[in-house]
Amino acid sequence: MVGMQTLVRPLRLALSTAKTQIKDSDKRKIWDSTWLEAIPNTKPQLIGIKHAALHQIVEEFLESQQVQTHLYSGSQGIDPDKLFKLTAGVLIAGKNDYREFAMCGTLLMQKYRRNFVDLSAGVTSAEKSVDGWKNLFLSNPHLQFWDVCDSFLCVFNHLVYITLRDGKRVRLKNKVKEWLQHSNPWLVRIAICHQNCNAVSSASASDFDSQLLFDSIKYVMVNHINNPGSSTNLHKYDPSYSAKISEAGMKKRKPDKWFLEKGIGWALRSYTHTNPKAVVDFLYENKKALQFSDFIVKQSLLYVTGGHTGNARGRHFDRMRECIGKQTQERIDVLWSGQEGVGRTFKGRKNKSSHAAERQQGQSEGLRGNSHTMKRKASDAQKA
């Protein structure tokens, strides 16, 4: 049997070749490099390969004879255990090597998200696979970052909500609860957000368990975010991490807690695609009791309130507005404005007239583009 290092070697060679051939002008912008550099016991090298090129590298790797023999060694199609070993091998290879290994691993997750469980073995196979992924994340800190964990959501969703041979659908709530109760914030985040793909589409609405989402958020707020003794309120990274976070504009916010709050906001925001009223009601009725931060509320209602500018238009935004009645709109106004002691007024939400004024001012100064682009150009001009 071919060893994992030998199996992954062609992928390492392809990445090394891409590194020598890539031009600076062709590199993708690595906006999260500051965060990655703070991960302990790892020295990731970011090449900057764009997604399309990386996707092509992975496809060629999967088409190789060695990989095909490894995955399809039996007569029953892809072997879930061997698929997991291959994906894990690719992810682990990036610990002190190219970060693109992790990105390749996420592409494998997305491509084979339905194949990590042996449906003929049912619940037993699913639980075994969930435990395997749990051990993989816990034993490899360099995987505990959102580029990997958020890509794993689609896999986790198919592992904890499976179809048995008789057609019956089973949700492994015990495994979801187990991850929610864990001290590692990334496992908790995965347990909160794993239903996101079902929340955004009416076609998969029957697979979405809103009560599970709301109960999960309540548990995390009480036992993690608002619990001073929870390890999610501690810095588990090297001393330079706090400084790096400050440099990245995240001053005064604990990193683990921030990722959990961001995950809660993301999960609720996804649900607003199909049921904005339920999200608004949940936030309004639990704001004081669960002590939702303004950050969570803002992230949750981002689409309902018109995006970052407050004036976003489009099919999704218009559909949400059509689903919102008078009472729901009143609750949104209370949550957003900070009335009745529920929080401070959110800053930066502008109406159409203020954006029009910015554009007019920018055009008078010889600038072109939207308000954000013009601000950047004006700032660059001042520095020059």
Side-chain angles (χ1 to χ4, degrees), residues 114-178:
R114 300 176 185 272
N115 301 107
F116 287 97
V117 58
D118 182 0
L119 294 179
S120 63
V123 174
T124 302
S125 175
E127 291 181 336
K128 177 184 176 182
S129 186
V130 170
D131 292 339
W133 280 103
K134 177 182 177 181
N135 294 332
L136 177 66
F137 282 119
L138 293 178
S139 58
N140 293 277
H142 72 286
L143 301 181
Q144 297 172 23
F145 196 68
W146 55 14
D147 59 343
V148 176
C149 291
D150 289 357
S151 296
F152 174 66
L153 295 177
C154 58
V155 177
F156 188 77
N157 185 53
H158 285 291
L159 292 179
V160 298
Y161 193 43
I162 62 174
T163 304
L164 302 180
R165 298 184 69 177
D166 58 2
K168 183 179 179 180
R169 299 281 278 170
V170 176
R171 191 182 299 279
L172 307 181
K173 292 186 178 182
N174 62 318
K175 288 299 178 183
V176 177
K177 185 177 180 180
E178 180 182 310

Side-chain angles (χ1 to χ4, degrees), residues 1-37:
M1 180 179 293
V2 178
M4 191 52 60
Q5 290 186 352
T6 303
L7 198 61
V8 176
R9 188 176 298 149
L11 184 59
R12 177 177 282 103
L13 179 61
L15 294 177
S16 299
T17 303
K19 181 180 179 180
T20 60
Q21 296 176 348
I22 192 171
K23 300 178 181 178
D24 290 340
S25 58
D26 295 332
K27 290 184 178 180
R28 61 181 295 186
K29 294 181 179 179
I30 308 298
W31 59 269
D32 53 2
S33 58
T34 301
W35 303 84
L36 289 173
E37 291 169 3

Side-chain angles (χ1 to χ4, degrees), residues 123-345:
V123 174
T124 302
S125 175
E127 291 181 336
K128 177 184 176 182
S129 186
V130 170
D131 292 339
W133 280 103
K134 177 182 177 181
N135 294 332
L136 177 66
F137 282 119
L138 293 178
S139 58
N140 293 277
H142 72 286
L143 301 181
Q144 297 172 23
F145 196 68
W146 55 14
D147 59 343
V148 176
C149 291
D150 289 357
S151 296
F152 174 66
L153 295 177
C154 58
V155 177
F156 188 77
N157 185 53
H158 285 291
L159 292 179
V160 298
Y161 193 43
I162 62 174
T163 304
L164 302 180
R165 298 184 69 177
D166 58 2
K168 183 179 179 180
R169 299 281 278 170
V170 176
R171 191 182 299 279
L172 307 181
K173 292 186 178 182
N174 62 318
K175 288 299 178 183
V176 177
K177 185 177 180 180
E178 180 182 310
W179 285 45
L180 284 172
Q181 294 175 342
H182 203 278
S183 60
N184 185 282
W186 293 103
L187 297 189
V188 177
R189 179 182 166 101
I190 290 169
I192 295 172
C193 300
H194 75 276
Q195 292 191 94
N196 283 9
C197 53
N198 292 334
V200 300
S201 172
S202 57
S204 57
S206 60
D207 293 335
F208 181 74
D209 189 339
S210 59
Q211 193 59 50
L212 176 62
L213 173 62
F214 293 153
D215 289 344
S216 298
I217 292 174
K218 289 179 180 179
Y219 180 88
V220 172
M221 291 300 302
V222 173
N223 295 280
H224 290 301
I225 293 179
N226 295 327
N227 178 14
S230 172
S231 61
T232 59
N233 284 310
L234 303 175
H235 290 283
K236 298 192 294 298
Y237 298 89
D238 60 52
S240 65
Y241 192 81
S242 297
K244 290 181 181 295
I245 296 302
S246 297
E247 293 171 5
M250 303 307 303
K251 190 175 182 180
K252 295 183 179 180
R253 183 172 292 279
K254 298 182 183 300
D256 288 352
K257 182 178 178 179
W258 184 86
F259 282 117
L260 288 181
E261 289 185 334
K262 182 79 171 181
I264 290 174
W266 181 25
L268 291 174
R269 183 168 70 249
S270 297
Y271 191 27
T272 60
H273 279 277
T274 52
N275 196 343
K277 182 180 183 301
V279 174
V280 173
D281 291 345
F282 174 72
L283 290 171
Y284 184 86
E285 294 166 2
N286 295 280
K287 179 68 166 69
K288 293 181 180 179
L290 296 180
Q291 302 177 47
F292 285 129
S293 67
D294 291 341
F295 178 68
I296 291 177
V297 175
K298 184 176 182 179
Q299 290 295 314
S300 302
L301 300 181
L302 192 61
Y303 294 158
V304 176
T305 53
H308 291 287
T309 65
N311 299 288
R313 293 292 183 270
R315 178 165 53 88
H316 294 299
F317 293 107
D318 294 342
R319 184 177 61 188
M320 290 180 193
R321 291 188 180 93
E322 293 174 356
C323 297
I324 295 175
K326 181 179 180 180
Q327 182 188 44
T328 303
Q329 184 58 57
E330 290 174 350
R331 291 188 168 189
I332 292 174
D333 294 339
V334 171
L335 287 167
W336 196 266
S337 65
Q339 297 175 17
E340 297 184 5
V342 295
R344 71 179 186 278
T345 301

Side-chain angles (χ1 to χ4, degrees), residues 35-49:
W35 303 84
L36 289 173
E37 291 169 3
I39 300 176
N41 303 319
T42 182
K43 297 179 180 179
Q45 303 175 47
L46 295 162
I47 302 175
I49 304 175

Side-chain angles (χ1 to χ4, degrees), residues 36-133:
L36 289 173
E37 291 169 3
I39 300 176
N41 303 319
T42 182
K43 297 179 180 179
Q45 303 175 47
L46 295 162
I47 302 175
I49 304 175
K50 291 185 177 180
H51 185 272
L54 200 63
H55 190 276
Q56 180 64 31
I57 290 175
V58 171
E59 287 298 321
E60 292 177 359
F61 169 68
L62 292 175
E63 291 173 0
S64 67
Q65 185 63 41
Q66 283 188 335
V67 173
Q68 289 289 308
T69 302
H70 175 80
L71 291 178
Y72 294 92
S73 57
S75 59
Q76 302 299 321
I78 295 178
D79 186 316
D81 291 335
K82 292 184 177 181
L83 174 61
F84 172 76
K85 290 178 180 178
L86 175 64
T87 308
V90 172
L91 290 169
I92 294 173
K95 180 178 181 179
N96 291 306
D97 210 325
Y98 306 124
R99 185 62 185 178
E100 275 74 8
F101 271 112
M103 301 174 187
C104 290
T106 62
L107 291 175
L108 290 178
M109 293 180 194
Q110 295 165 12
K111 182 179 181 66
Y112 296 113
R113 59 187 178 276
R114 300 176 185 272
N115 301 107
F116 287 97
V117 58
D118 182 0
L119 294 179
S120 63
V123 174
T124 302
S125 175
E127 291 181 336
K128 177 184 176 182
S129 186
V130 170
D131 292 339
W133 280 103

